[in-house]
Amino acid sequence: MNSKTGLGRRLFGLSVLGSGLTGLVKVALGETPKTPPPEPIPKAALPKASPEAAARKNRGNPRTLCYVGGYTRSGPADANAKGITLFEMNAETGVLTQLGQITPADNPSFLALSTDHRFLYVVNEISDFEGQKSGSATAYSIDQRTGVITKLNTVATGGADPAFLSVHPSGRYLLVANYTGGSAAVIRIESDGSLGELSDLVRNTGPKMPERAKDNPPGNYAVSDHSASHMHMIQADVAGRFIIGCDAGLDRVYVWKLDPEKGVLTPAATPWLTMEPGSAPRHFCFSPNGKVIYILGEQDSRVIVADYDQETGAMSVRQTASTVTAKFRGSTLAAEIGLHPTGKFLYVTNRLGDSIACFRVKDDGSIELFDEVWERANYGRSFAFDPSGKFLFVANQRSDSITSWRVNPDTGNLDFTWNFTPTGTPSAFAFLTLDNV
């Protein structure tokens, strides 16, 4: 960029000199010289619009933007991210094109949009915020014309290494899972989108669990940390009445009721669901009607299908399904679980095995594995669908890349796009549609 700009300026300098000589000749001939035109602004200094945005300029079609977070601090694995990267997605091909510069951020490992999509919230997966044994969360405002984010403020999460956050459906609270801190945090969201004080912090305790589950895939040497409580995910149910939290260290899925005015959590009548010892429940998702919950065990790479009582928050397990085929042998750690927007298909990423498990969802909510797709990269930490549901994107933490697949809406089959987007140690996505361009 700089070398090209410098070359442009040198060439422009020659053109100005040429104009000056021409002017002297014209003066000698009695002609009035013309003032040279001002030097144009170098293209590199102008904000860049993607080809998709330029093509839409006169059509008014919506834009699909994607924020990607990643690891910026070295630890157990490499950390090559620089912060939060903004991309624009081509609606036809799924290609991601970077827009502008990366927004610096400290270990922005997970992201979530506000309910009105005007703000972006990010966990900073650290353990030394302002000298405390705590991580932090940061709020950003989103320019509704460009998608560019501006930092509002950063607050402590009350526990170390927050790994997940979500916004309550009311839009009034940010829910944070502190992994090393072993706690669930509730943070007030102010009217201007900034983050306020902690309204509650719940620390989990329980007996030490085994490092491996009995129902592990054959030959699995990978282990999950069961040294203490490790909250891995926290999110409201579909109705927003109860808050569900996966504790991968205690092998429990907690259920709390949230006071909408005070922002305080109280245990539900059945305070937790006990999972297979050593299974490390990591993430979950709900069926569209909120009556079925799908819980992913990280260590045993299994999905628990449970009926969910929306009045009490109680869960009743009715199915367990492996995320790898019966032929698989070796180490694997399941990472992310999610339903396609149609609710007809469920997908899971398996790290180490580097595959995507594809399930059909039956009318009663039970699931059936129909395919296991190679990720074509290493350590797919999370995935996300674009807002249309046409594409599935995987953040490959150890390959420094994002890969994508086109989703068949009728069969659920994944067709690899052969699009590789280079980005340092990516970990999570947040997609946004802008309608005013």
Side-chain angles (χ1 to χ4, degrees), residues 122-388:
V122 175
V123 290
N124 307 110
E125 193 172 329
I126 61 177
S127 58
D128 57 357
F129 178 65
E130 295 184 342
Q132 309 172 51
K133 291 183 178 180
S134 173
S136 60
T138 302
Y140 299 87
S141 63
I142 300 174
D143 186 305
Q144 296 299 296
R145 184 179 60 86
T146 64
V148 171
I149 57 176
T150 301
K151 181 179 175 180
L152 296 177
N153 70 328
T154 301
V155 300
T157 60
D161 301 316
F164 191 96
L165 83 170
S166 61
V167 177
H168 187 265
S170 68
R172 300 174 61 184
Y173 300 101
L174 187 70
L175 309 171
V176 180
N178 292 310
Y179 181 81
T180 302
S183 60
V186 183
I187 303 174
R188 294 187 185 279
I189 297 177
E190 304 295 348
S191 59
D192 63 355
S194 64
L195 296 174
E197 62 182 8
L198 276 169
S199 61
D200 202 5
L201 183 67
V202 178
R203 293 182 173 86
N204 300 330
T205 59
K208 189 179 185 311
M209 306 303 287
E211 290 184 334
R212 293 185 175 88
K214 292 180 180 179
D215 57 358
N216 261 347
N220 187 9
Y221 287 90
V223 296
S224 298
D225 188 353
H226 284 84
S227 60
S229 168
H230 293 305
M231 283 291 294
H232 223 310
M233 178 179 177
I234 184 168
Q235 185 171 293
D237 63 11
V238 172
R241 185 176 182 182
F242 293 96
I243 308 301
I244 314 300
C246 277
D247 194 318
L250 300 181
D251 296 324
R252 292 173 178 174
V253 179
Y254 283 88
V255 185
W256 297 281
K257 190 172 182 178
L258 176 68
D259 185 315
E261 298 303 322
K262 298 179 180 179
V264 174
L265 300 174
T266 55
T270 303
W272 64 73
L273 172 68
T274 300
M275 300 286 286
E276 174 71 26
S279 62
R282 178 183 174 92
H283 284 183
F284 63 86
C285 62
F286 278 97
S287 62
N289 63 11
K291 295 182 178 180
V292 180
I293 185 171
Y294 302 92
I295 306 166
L296 180 63
E298 173 185 277
Q299 216 284 318
D300 61 358
S301 296
R302 289 181 175 272
V303 177
I304 298 298
V305 182
D307 293 314
Y308 180 78
D309 189 325
Q310 294 175 300
E311 297 300 318
T312 66
M315 292 168 277
S316 178
V317 176
R318 63 163 137 120
Q319 183 188 6
T320 301
S322 176
T323 66
V324 295
T325 64
K327 295 182 179 181
F328 178 84
R329 298 292 184 272
S331 294
T332 178
L333 287 172
E336 186 62 281
I337 184 170
L339 274 172
H340 187 261
T342 62
K344 296 165 55 178
F345 311 105
L346 180 79
Y347 300 91
V348 170
T349 50
N350 292 307
R351 293 167 295 178
L352 301 178
D354 294 331
S355 68
I356 305 172
C358 309
F359 295 88
R360 293 188 184 90
V361 180
K362 300 179 182 179
D363 291 341
D364 64 354
S366 60
I367 59 177
E368 178 184 23
L369 182 69
F370 71 89
D371 200 3
E372 189 177 7
V373 177
W374 176 34
E375 287 180 351
R376 290 176 171 82
N378 190 7
Y379 221 68
R381 186 172 185 86
S382 69
F383 70 84
F385 300 100
D386 76 288
S388 73

Side-chain angles (χ1 to χ4, degrees), residues 59-139:
R59 298 201 306 266
N61 289 342
R63 302 171 63 187
T64 299
L65 304 183
C66 178
Y67 301 93
V68 177
Y71 288 99
T72 64
R73 292 194 185 191
S74 297
D78 291 337
N80 301 316
K82 303 300 180 184
I84 303 166
T85 309
L86 174 60
F87 295 92
E88 180 167 5
M89 188 194 84
N90 182 303
E92 298 301 321
T93 65
V95 170
L96 297 177
T97 301
Q98 183 175 332
L99 301 179
Q101 301 300 312
I102 296 173
T103 301
D106 197 356
N107 252 22
S109 65
F110 209 87
L111 309 85
L113 293 170
S114 62
T115 54
D116 60 8
H117 290 184
R118 295 174 53 224
F119 305 98
L120 179 71
Y121 300 103
V122 175
V123 290
N124 307 110
E125 193 172 329
I126 61 177
S127 58
D128 57 357
F129 178 65
E130 295 184 342
Q132 309 172 51
K133 291 183 178 180
S134 173
S136 60
T138 302

Side-chain angles (χ1 to χ4, degrees), residues 52-60 437:
E52 293 78 16
R56 276 193 312 271
K57 190 172 183 180
N58 298 320
R59 298 201 306 266
V437 176

